[in-house]
Amino acid sequence: IRARVFVSRRIPPKALQMLQAGCDVNCWDSDEPPSRKGYLDSVRGIDALFCLLTDKIDAELLDAAGPGLKVVSTMSVGHDHIDLQECKARKITVGYTPGILTSATAELTVALLLATSRRLKEGMRAVVNGEWGTWKPTWLCGSGLDGSTVGIVGLGRIGIAVAQCLKPFGVAQFLYSGRSEKPEAESIKAKFVPFDDLLQTSDFVIACCALTQDTAGLFNKDAFSKMKKSAIFVNSSRGGVVNQEDLLHALTSGEIAGAGLDVTSPEPLPTDNPLLKLDNCVVLPHIGSATYSTREAMAVLAAENLLAGVRGEPMPCQLD
Ligand code: GLV
Ligand code: GLV
């Protein structure tokens, strides 16, 4: 018998066709998520779930699905939205999509860093609003990367790729912090330092860490107060690693120079959020992996993970 699969959103057609070839697929055919109730109803009796990073996969949802659910496959590298312990307790295998989105996410992180440090948001607005006036020697100056110190918090695949992208800009030194020293750091000659040292020394502080118990709210009042007044903070990991109240204070009080965020909490960020009014804060709508080819590759890998799981085979990318 064919496995029953729920796909929680419209996904690239190639991945959907792969799933349909082997399974009975119920696809929520919209870019908008189902309501929580709609989600709980849709998972009832399924064997496998194809989900996104915005879907909360917790005990309640797993209970609603029932004991037949054996596979959860997320189209994301991040998996903080999935309760892995609950999955493990139910012997549900979980797949994710590391690796293939690394370069797209690193590229977006660099774009966000440059947009923030070189004040592109203010510049673009000035052109449109007729504030350009004339070429002014001191207008819209920002910090350059040449000769700078870049600190990367969480030197995983994406952190390394960000450093490799930034190196040609003339970065003088890379620092990183995290749970452990990484042999891969050698390729960019990055130095492993305590978190506080990284904050104090870096001109650019980039969060590339996963959201875990250890990193939740890591960038708080204390952390921002240790950064240079000229520091640019960039986050392309998860909004939850930042205390946004504290970031707002750091940006408005001049404790740091600017922040570029591809991720926030909540997402979407309400349009009346004060961060959006600030000249020195650039906010993007979680588009790190959003290239055509990357999104298709993520969906295909998530489909491959799901199909392997359904067959009882090891997934190409399985979490454990
Ligand atoms: C994007 O944030 C992902 O986790 O894939
Ligand atoms: C995510 O892919 C990471 O390890 O940085």
Side-chain angles (χ1 to χ4, degrees), residues 53 74-81 97 101 105 158 236-238 262-263 267 286-289 295 298:
L53 60 93
T74 184
M75 182 182 153
S76 62
V77 65
H79 44 79
D80 48 279
H81 56 299
T97 64
L101 47 64
T105 306
I158 295 171
S236 56
S237 60
R238 283 292 181 271
D262 185 41
V263 288
E267 294 182 4
H286 202 149
I287 52 171
S289 65
R295 285 290 169 81
M298 288 167 72

PDB file of all heavy atoms in Angstrom, residues 53 74-81 97 101 105 158 236-238 262-263 267 286-289 295 298, ligand 1:
ATOM      1  N   LEU A  53       9.850  25.264   7.828  1.00  0.00           N
ATOM      2  CA  LEU A  53      10.414  25.755   9.088  1.00  0.00           C
ATOM      3  C   LEU A  53       9.423  26.573   9.903  1.00  0.00           C
ATOM      4  O   LEU A  53       9.628  26.807  11.091  1.00  0.00           O
ATOM      5  CB  LEU A  53      11.680  26.576   8.817  1.00  0.00           C
ATOM      6  CG  LEU A  53      11.543  27.828   7.936  1.00  0.00           C
ATOM      7  CD1 LEU A  53      11.300  29.062   8.781  1.00  0.00           C
ATOM      8  CD2 LEU A  53      12.804  28.028   7.111  1.00  0.00           C
ATOM      9  N   THR A  74      11.618  18.000   6.815  1.00  0.00           N
ATOM     10  CA  THR A  74      11.489  19.452   6.729  1.00  0.00           C
ATOM     11  C   THR A  74      12.347  20.006   5.588  1.00  0.00           C
ATOM     12  O   THR A  74      13.481  19.559   5.377  1.00  0.00           O
ATOM     13  CB  THR A  74      11.845  20.142   8.059  1.00  0.00           C
ATOM     14  OG1 THR A  74      11.614  21.558   7.919  1.00  0.00           O
ATOM     15  CG2 THR A  74      13.305  19.942   8.463  1.00  0.00           C
ATOM     16  N   MET A  75      11.749  20.952   4.859  1.00  0.00           N
ATOM     17  CA  MET A  75      12.468  21.603   3.762  1.00  0.00           C
ATOM     18  C   MET A  75      13.235  22.797   4.331  1.00  0.00           C
ATOM     19  O   MET A  75      12.940  23.947   4.053  1.00  0.00           O
ATOM     20  CB  MET A  75      11.450  22.068   2.705  1.00  0.00           C
ATOM     21  CG  MET A  75      12.067  22.724   1.490  1.00  0.00           C
ATOM     22  SD  MET A  75      10.778  23.278   0.327  1.00  0.00           S
ATOM     23  CE  MET A  75      11.639  24.633  -0.456  1.00  0.00           C
ATOM     24  N   SER A  76      14.228  22.479   5.166  1.00  0.00           N
ATOM     25  CA  SER A  76      15.031  23.514   5.820  1.00  0.00           C
ATOM     26  C   SER A  76      16.252  22.847   6.443  1.00  0.00           C
ATOM     27  O   SER A  76      16.234  21.635   6.697  1.00  0.00           O
ATOM     28  CB  SER A  76      14.236  24.200   6.935  1.00  0.00           C
ATOM     29  OG  SER A  76      13.883  23.280   7.947  1.00  0.00           O
ATOM     30  N   VAL A  77      17.282  23.655   6.672  1.00  0.00           N
ATOM     31  CA  VAL A  77      18.415  23.128   7.443  1.00  0.00           C
ATOM     32  C   VAL A  77      18.135  23.299   8.933  1.00  0.00           C
ATOM     33  O   VAL A  77      18.499  22.455   9.743  1.00  0.00           O
ATOM     34  CB  VAL A  77      19.757  23.773   7.021  1.00  0.00           C
ATOM     35  CG1 VAL A  77      19.784  25.271   7.331  1.00  0.00           C
ATOM     36  CG2 VAL A  77      20.919  23.082   7.703  1.00  0.00           C
ATOM     37  N   GLY A  78      17.455  24.396   9.280  1.00  0.00           N
ATOM     38  CA  GLY A  78      17.119  24.620  10.687  1.00  0.00           C
ATOM     39  C   GLY A  78      16.039  23.646  11.122  1.00  0.00           C
ATOM     40  O   GLY A  78      15.168  23.278  10.334  1.00  0.00           O
ATOM     41  N   HIS A  79      16.121  23.211  12.374  1.00  0.00           N
ATOM     42  CA  HIS A  79      15.110  22.243  12.839  1.00  0.00           C
ATOM     43  C   HIS A  79      14.641  22.555  14.251  1.00  0.00           C
ATOM     44  O   HIS A  79      14.161  21.698  14.973  1.00  0.00           O
ATOM     45  CB  HIS A  79      15.647  20.817  12.743  1.00  0.00           C
ATOM     46  CG  HIS A  79      17.051  20.657  13.246  1.00  0.00           C
ATOM     47  ND1 HIS A  79      17.335  20.567  14.569  1.00  0.00           N
ATOM     48  CD2 HIS A  79      18.227  20.623  12.586  1.00  0.00           C
ATOM     49  CE1 HIS A  79      18.645  20.468  14.710  1.00  0.00           C
ATOM     50  NE2 HIS A  79      19.212  20.499  13.533  1.00  0.00           N
ATOM     51  N   ASP A  80      14.779  23.834  14.631  1.00  0.00           N
ATOM     52  CA  ASP A  80      14.329  24.257  15.953  1.00  0.00           C
ATOM     53  C   ASP A  80      12.804  24.230  16.068  1.00  0.00           C
ATOM     54  O   ASP A  80      12.268  24.334  17.164  1.00  0.00           O
ATOM     55  CB  ASP A  80      14.864  25.658  16.260  1.00  0.00           C
ATOM     56  CG  ASP A  80      14.629  26.617  15.119  1.00  0.00           C
ATOM     57  OD1 ASP A  80      15.415  26.613  14.152  1.00  0.00           O
ATOM     58  OD2 ASP A  80      13.638  27.354  15.173  1.00  0.00           O
ATOM     59  N   HIS A  81      12.112  24.083  14.925  1.00  0.00           N
ATOM     60  CA  HIS A  81      10.647  24.024  14.959  1.00  0.00           C
ATOM     61  C   HIS A  81      10.137  22.603  15.207  1.00  0.00           C
ATOM     62  O   HIS A  81       8.943  22.374  15.313  1.00  0.00           O
ATOM     63  CB  HIS A  81      10.063  24.551  13.641  1.00  0.00           C
ATOM     64  CG  HIS A  81      10.580  23.825  12.417  1.00  0.00           C
ATOM     65  ND1 HIS A  81      11.912  23.808  12.070  1.00  0.00           N
ATOM     66  CD2 HIS A  81       9.955  23.085  11.474  1.00  0.00           C
ATOM     67  CE1 HIS A  81      12.068  23.095  10.962  1.00  0.00           C
ATOM     68  NE2 HIS A  81      10.902  22.637  10.584  1.00  0.00           N
ATOM     69  N   THR A  97      17.619  19.524   5.340  1.00  0.00           N
ATOM     70  CA  THR A  97      18.306  19.804   4.071  1.00  0.00           C
ATOM     71  C   THR A  97      19.597  20.626   4.233  1.00  0.00           C
ATOM     72  O   THR A  97      19.697  21.744   3.720  1.00  0.00           O
ATOM     73  CB  THR A  97      17.363  20.548   3.098  1.00  0.00           C
ATOM     74  OG1 THR A  97      17.036  21.832   3.658  1.00  0.00           O
ATOM     75  CG2 THR A  97      16.085  19.774   2.849  1.00  0.00           C
ATOM     76  N   LEU A 101      21.927  24.546   0.728  1.00  0.00           N
ATOM     77  CA  LEU A 101      21.561  25.963   0.798  1.00  0.00           C
ATOM     78  C   LEU A 101      22.685  26.825   1.358  1.00  0.00           C
ATOM     79  O   LEU A 101      22.516  28.028   1.551  1.00  0.00           O
ATOM     80  CB  LEU A 101      20.281  26.148   1.635  1.00  0.00           C
ATOM     81  CG  LEU A 101      20.179  25.442   2.977  1.00  0.00           C
ATOM     82  CD1 LEU A 101      21.192  25.903   3.962  1.00  0.00           C
ATOM     83  CD2 LEU A 101      18.788  25.571   3.523  1.00  0.00           C
ATOM     84  N   THR A 105      22.714  30.984   1.173  1.00  0.00           N
ATOM     85  CA  THR A 105      22.519  31.669   2.452  1.00  0.00           C
ATOM     86  C   THR A 105      23.724  32.545   2.792  1.00  0.00           C
ATOM     87  O   THR A 105      23.566  33.667   3.295  1.00  0.00           O
ATOM     88  CB  THR A 105      22.255  30.641   3.572  1.00  0.00           C
ATOM     89  OG1 THR A 105      21.166  29.809   3.164  1.00  0.00           O
ATOM     90  CG2 THR A 105      21.907  31.308   4.882  1.00  0.00           C
ATOM     91  N   ILE A 158      27.542  27.219   7.023  1.00  0.00           N
ATOM     92  CA  ILE A 158      27.193  28.546   6.528  1.00  0.00           C
ATOM     93  C   ILE A 158      28.206  29.576   7.013  1.00  0.00           C
ATOM     94  O   ILE A 158      28.650  30.435   6.238  1.00  0.00           O
ATOM     95  CB  ILE A 158      25.742  28.918   6.943  1.00  0.00           C
ATOM     96  CG1 ILE A 158      24.765  27.968   6.243  1.00  0.00           C
ATOM     97  CG2 ILE A 158      25.433  30.368   6.579  1.00  0.00           C
ATOM     98  CD1 ILE A 158      23.316  28.065   6.717  1.00  0.00           C
ATOM     99  N   SER A 236      21.535  35.925  10.182  1.00  0.00           N
ATOM    100  CA  SER A 236      20.826  35.162   9.148  1.00  0.00           C
ATOM    101  C   SER A 236      20.519  33.754   9.652  1.00  0.00           C
ATOM    102  O   SER A 236      20.331  32.832   8.864  1.00  0.00           O
ATOM    103  CB  SER A 236      21.653  35.108   7.867  1.00  0.00           C
ATOM    104  OG  SER A 236      22.931  34.559   8.135  1.00  0.00           O
ATOM    105  N   SER A 237      20.493  33.592  10.982  1.00  0.00           N
ATOM    106  CA  SER A 237      20.238  32.252  11.526  1.00  0.00           C
ATOM    107  C   SER A 237      18.776  32.082  11.947  1.00  0.00           C
ATOM    108  O   SER A 237      17.957  31.607  11.167  1.00  0.00           O
ATOM    109  CB  SER A 237      21.202  31.952  12.665  1.00  0.00           C
ATOM    110  OG  SER A 237      21.066  32.886  13.724  1.00  0.00           O
ATOM    111  N   ARG A 238      18.480  32.501  13.167  1.00  0.00           N
ATOM    112  CA  ARG A 238      17.100  32.478  13.646  1.00  0.00           C
ATOM    113  C   ARG A 238      16.886  33.701  14.531  1.00  0.00           C
ATOM    114  O   ARG A 238      17.778  34.081  15.299  1.00  0.00           O
ATOM    115  CB  ARG A 238      16.810  31.212  14.464  1.00  0.00           C
ATOM    116  CG  ARG A 238      16.605  29.940  13.643  1.00  0.00           C
ATOM    117  CD  ARG A 238      15.317  29.962  12.817  1.00  0.00           C
ATOM    118  NE  ARG A 238      15.099  28.753  12.052  1.00  0.00           N
ATOM    119  CZ  ARG A 238      15.546  28.532  10.806  1.00  0.00           C
ATOM    120  NH1 ARG A 238      16.239  29.466  10.182  1.00  0.00           N
ATOM    121  NH2 ARG A 238      15.285  27.397  10.179  1.00  0.00           N
ATOM    122  N   ASP A 262      17.976  38.984   8.657  1.00  0.00           N
ATOM    123  CA  ASP A 262      17.152  38.227   7.702  1.00  0.00           C
ATOM    124  C   ASP A 262      16.104  37.418   8.455  1.00  0.00           C
ATOM    125  O   ASP A 262      15.227  36.820   7.841  1.00  0.00           O
ATOM    126  CB  ASP A 262      18.030  37.305   6.846  1.00  0.00           C
ATOM    127  CG  ASP A 262      17.219  36.595   5.763  1.00  0.00           C
ATOM    128  OD1 ASP A 262      16.347  37.265   5.152  1.00  0.00           O
ATOM    129  OD2 ASP A 262      17.437  35.399   5.529  1.00  0.00           O
ATOM    130  N   VAL A 263      16.242  37.379   9.765  1.00  0.00           N
ATOM    131  CA  VAL A 263      15.337  36.599  10.604  1.00  0.00           C
ATOM    132  C   VAL A 263      14.957  37.430  11.815  1.00  0.00           C
ATOM    133  O   VAL A 263      15.757  38.238  12.304  1.00  0.00           O
ATOM    134  CB  VAL A 263      16.008  35.279  11.056  1.00  0.00           C
ATOM    135  CG1 VAL A 263      16.118  34.300   9.905  1.00  0.00           C
ATOM    136  CG2 VAL A 263      17.386  35.551  11.645  1.00  0.00           C
ATOM    137  N   GLU A 267       8.053  36.053  13.027  1.00  0.00           N
ATOM    138  CA  GLU A 267       8.041  36.214  11.574  1.00  0.00           C
ATOM    139  C   GLU A 267       6.627  35.938  11.079  1.00  0.00           C
ATOM    140  O   GLU A 267       6.084  34.893  11.439  1.00  0.00           O
ATOM    141  CB  GLU A 267       9.031  35.252  10.918  1.00  0.00           C
ATOM    142  CG  GLU A 267      10.467  35.591  11.275  1.00  0.00           C
ATOM    143  CD  GLU A 267      11.507  34.682  10.612  1.00  0.00           C
ATOM    144  OE1 GLU A 267      11.110  33.820   9.790  1.00  0.00           O
ATOM    145  OE2 GLU A 267      12.684  34.832  10.914  1.00  0.00           O
ATOM    146  N   HIS A 286      13.427  36.727   5.736  1.00  0.00           N
ATOM    147  CA  HIS A 286      13.902  35.342   5.804  1.00  0.00           C
ATOM    148  C   HIS A 286      14.052  34.730   4.399  1.00  0.00           C
ATOM    149  O   HIS A 286      13.363  33.759   4.050  1.00  0.00           O
ATOM    150  CB  HIS A 286      12.957  34.487   6.668  1.00  0.00           C
ATOM    151  CG  HIS A 286      13.615  33.248   7.220  1.00  0.00           C
ATOM    152  ND1 HIS A 286      13.279  32.671   8.412  1.00  0.00           N
ATOM    153  CD2 HIS A 286      14.602  32.467   6.723  1.00  0.00           C
ATOM    154  CE1 HIS A 286      14.007  31.599   8.629  1.00  0.00           C
ATOM    155  NE2 HIS A 286      14.827  31.447   7.598  1.00  0.00           N
ATOM    156  N   ILE A 287      14.970  35.316   3.636  1.00  0.00           N
ATOM    157  CA  ILE A 287      15.159  34.872   2.249  1.00  0.00           C
ATOM    158  C   ILE A 287      16.562  34.322   2.003  1.00  0.00           C
ATOM    159  O   ILE A 287      17.027  34.273   0.864  1.00  0.00           O
ATOM    160  CB  ILE A 287      14.869  36.019   1.246  1.00  0.00           C
ATOM    161  CG1 ILE A 287      15.668  37.295   1.600  1.00  0.00           C
ATOM    162  CG2 ILE A 287      13.367  36.325   1.207  1.00  0.00           C
ATOM    163  CD1 ILE A 287      15.595  38.384   0.546  1.00  0.00           C
ATOM    164  N   GLY A 288      17.239  33.902   3.071  1.00  0.00           N
ATOM    165  CA  GLY A 288      18.617  33.413   2.938  1.00  0.00           C
ATOM    166  C   GLY A 288      18.804  32.388   1.836  1.00  0.00           C
ATOM    167  O   GLY A 288      19.733  32.484   1.033  1.00  0.00           O
ATOM    168  N   SER A 289      17.928  31.421   1.771  1.00  0.00           N
ATOM    169  CA  SER A 289      18.106  30.327   0.805  1.00  0.00           C
ATOM    170  C   SER A 289      17.341  30.563  -0.495  1.00  0.00           C
ATOM    171  O   SER A 289      17.265  29.667  -1.344  1.00  0.00           O
ATOM    172  CB  SER A 289      17.658  29.008   1.437  1.00  0.00           C
ATOM    173  OG  SER A 289      16.264  29.032   1.708  1.00  0.00           O
ATOM    174  N   ARG A 295      16.067  26.593  -3.790  1.00  0.00           N
ATOM    175  CA  ARG A 295      14.758  26.192  -3.260  1.00  0.00           C
ATOM    176  C   ARG A 295      14.288  24.891  -3.906  1.00  0.00           C
ATOM    177  O   ARG A 295      13.704  24.033  -3.253  1.00  0.00           O
ATOM    178  CB  ARG A 295      13.744  27.308  -3.436  1.00  0.00           C
ATOM    179  CG  ARG A 295      13.941  28.446  -2.453  1.00  0.00           C
ATOM    180  CD  ARG A 295      13.582  28.053  -1.033  1.00  0.00           C
ATOM    181  NE  ARG A 295      13.999  29.040  -0.059  1.00  0.00           N
ATOM    182  CZ  ARG A 295      13.327  30.158   0.226  1.00  0.00           C
ATOM    183  NH1 ARG A 295      12.205  30.449  -0.410  1.00  0.00           N
ATOM    184  NH2 ARG A 295      13.785  30.994   1.134  1.00  0.00           N
ATOM    185  N   MET A 298      16.340  22.098  -2.329  1.00  0.00           N
ATOM    186  CA  MET A 298      15.877  21.818  -0.957  1.00  0.00           C
ATOM    187  C   MET A 298      14.620  20.957  -0.973  1.00  0.00           C
ATOM    188  O   MET A 298      14.494  19.990  -0.209  1.00  0.00           O
ATOM    189  CB  MET A 298      15.586  23.129  -0.211  1.00  0.00           C
ATOM    190  CG  MET A 298      16.820  23.918   0.170  1.00  0.00           C
ATOM    191  SD  MET A 298      16.403  25.597   0.692  1.00  0.00           S
ATOM    192  CE  MET A 298      15.640  25.276   2.301  1.00  0.00           C
TER     193      MET A 298
HETATM  194  C1  GLV B   1      16.225  28.406   6.551  1.00  0.00           C
HETATM  195  O1  GLV B   1      16.182  29.210   7.458  1.00  0.00           O
HETATM  196  C2  GLV B   1      16.474  27.016   6.802  1.00  0.00           C
HETATM  197  O2  GLV B   1      16.570  26.619   7.978  1.00  0.00           O
HETATM  198  O3  GLV B   1      16.565  26.258   5.835  1.00  0.00           O
END
